């Protein structure tokens, strides 16, 4: 029998399939703006560049180096410039469409629904995300997982970003839970695992790609279905 009293989940890449949902949205943008005729670029090159630029911007955001508006303004500007397209208005338009459309995609990670249905009966579940309130709410409602959770804390609501201990302490207070009886599940070693460990939570590293690492984690799973053997 598990000794845990509360379970915290990351959202993007852990429950909500960011890569698939983003891929579908980017394909619609690539085709809609007819980028292949505007520059010598394939969709594969476009998505590879998006991933590199997006990951860098989000890393800077998570480290507190930039704010939300920089991601919104610079993401597609940097991508288009890499292919010789210098159209600021177009890049902003693409950014707005991406932000507007992507959250409505409903692809989830394998066994997300089954796992949440199982855990929901046993524990209060909370989402803990560096994403933005409006965007994350759309994601969980449209993918029909909002009803599993007792609450969601974002970097906006708490005023702090993972991996800071403050956002974990904020969520513990909201959940009326103690760190020693709470477990955090997420895919990001820095934000979810190291951050939670600093706040004295137990951790499950969700690692579907079997990435090698040296981080200290209490548990590691490659599929969400494995959580039933832990919790």
């Amino acid at each position: 029998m598990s000794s845990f009293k509360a379970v915290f989940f990351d959202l993007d890449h852990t429950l909500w399939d960011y890569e698939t949902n983003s891929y579908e949205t980017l394909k619609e943008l690539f085709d809609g703006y007819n980028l292949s005729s505007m520059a010598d670029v394939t969709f594969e090159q476009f998505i590879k560049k998006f991933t590199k630029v997006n990951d860098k911007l989000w890393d800077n955001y998570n480290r507190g180096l930039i704010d939300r508006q920089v991601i919104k303004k610079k993401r597609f500007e940097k991508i288009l410039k890499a292919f010789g397209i210098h159209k600021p208005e177009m890049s902003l338009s693409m950014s707005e469409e991406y932000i507007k459309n992507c959250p409505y995609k409903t692809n989830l990670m394998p066994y997300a629904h089954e796992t949440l249905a199982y855990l929901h009966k046993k524990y209060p579940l909370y989402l803990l995300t560096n994403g933005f309130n409006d965007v994350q709410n759309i994601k969980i409602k449209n993918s029909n997982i909002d009803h599993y959770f007792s609450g969601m804390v974002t970097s906006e609501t708490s005023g702090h970003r993972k991996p800071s201990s403050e956002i974990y302490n904020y969520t513990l207070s909201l959940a009326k839970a103690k760190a020693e009886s709470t477990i955090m599940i997420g895919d990001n070693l820095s934000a979810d695992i190291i951050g939670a460990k600093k706040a004295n939570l137990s951790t499950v590293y969700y690692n579907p790609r079997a990435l090698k690492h040296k981080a200290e984690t209490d548990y590691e799973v490659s599929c969400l279905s494995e959580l039933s053997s832990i919790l």
Side-chain angles (χ1 to χ4, degrees):
M1 180 68 182
S2 168
S3 60
F4 298 111
K5 304 296 183 184
V7 178
F8 294 174
F9 269 99
D10 172 52
L11 180 58
D12 294 332
H13 303 284
T14 300
L15 294 170
W16 195 76
D17 189 348
Y18 184 97
E19 288 190 8
T20 300
N21 293 320
S22 180
Y23 184 96
E24 291 181 359
T25 309
L26 291 169
K27 187 69 169 72
E28 292 166 3
L29 287 173
F30 186 84
D31 293 341
Y33 281 85
N34 203 14
L35 291 183
S36 60
S37 67
M38 197 175 298
D40 183 21
V41 54
T42 65
F43 178 63
E44 288 70 25
Q45 292 170 323
F46 176 70
I47 201 161
K48 185 176 181 180
K49 177 58 68 174
F50 174 89
T51 301
K52 183 176 181 179
V53 169
N54 192 53
D55 286 354
K56 178 65 175 177
L57 287 171
W58 271 100
D59 181 61
N60 286 338
Y61 174 83
N62 290 339
R63 290 192 286 143
L65 301 176
I66 61 173
D67 62 19
R68 177 182 185 176
Q69 290 305 313
V70 174
I71 297 176
K72 182 178 180 180
K73 183 179 180 181
K74 293 293 183 180
R75 182 161 46 189
F76 284 92
E77 180 181 304
K78 287 176 177 288
I79 295 163
L80 294 182
K81 278 185 177 179
F83 299 113
I85 302 173
H86 302 277
K87 295 190 175 184
E89 289 185 7
M90 178 177 158
S91 69
L92 281 177
S93 177
M94 290 181 73
S95 179
E96 288 171 2
E97 285 187 43
Y98 179 83
I99 293 168
K100 178 182 177 182
N101 297 334
C102 193
Y104 286 92
K105 302 293 184 181
T106 59
N107 296 288
L108 297 173
M109 302 303 289
Y111 295 97
H113 268 297
E114 295 89 340
T115 301
L116 290 173
Y118 164 78
L119 293 175
H120 172 66
K121 296 174 183 177
K122 301 179 67 176
Y123 309 93
L125 307 180
Y126 286 82
L127 282 167
L128 186 50
T129 168
N130 278 358
F132 309 117
N133 292 342
D134 50 353
V135 173
Q136 303 303 65
N137 274 311
I138 292 170
K139 289 176 183 177
I140 64 173
K141 287 178 181 177
N142 278 273
S143 56
N144 196 31
I145 60 173
D146 56 326
H147 61 285
Y148 294 122
F149 295 95
S150 300
M152 177 172 69
V153 171
T154 69
S155 51
E156 284 184 305
T157 54
S158 68
H160 300 279
R161 301 166 185 169
K162 296 182 291 183
S164 72
S165 296
E166 287 88 349
I167 190 170
Y168 287 97
N169 293 332
Y170 182 99
T171 313
L172 287 168
S173 178
L174 178 69
K176 295 181 173 60
K178 295 181 179 180
E180 57 267 26
S181 59
T182 302
I183 192 164
M184 174 69 190
I185 303 160
D187 73 292
N188 187 301
L189 282 173
S190 173
D192 301 321
I193 305 306
I194 297 172
K197 290 297 253 182
K198 285 181 181 177
N200 298 313
L201 279 71
S202 295
T203 58
V204 180
Y205 177 38
Y206 175 53
N207 187 13
R209 293 184 288 174
L211 300 174
K212 292 183 178 180
H213 65 93
K214 295 182 180 180
E216 180 186 345
T217 181
D218 297 294
Y219 304 95
E220 182 169 332
V221 298
S222 60
C223 181
L224 293 174
S225 62
E226 297 172 53
L227 291 172
S228 62
S229 65
I230 300 169
L231 297 164

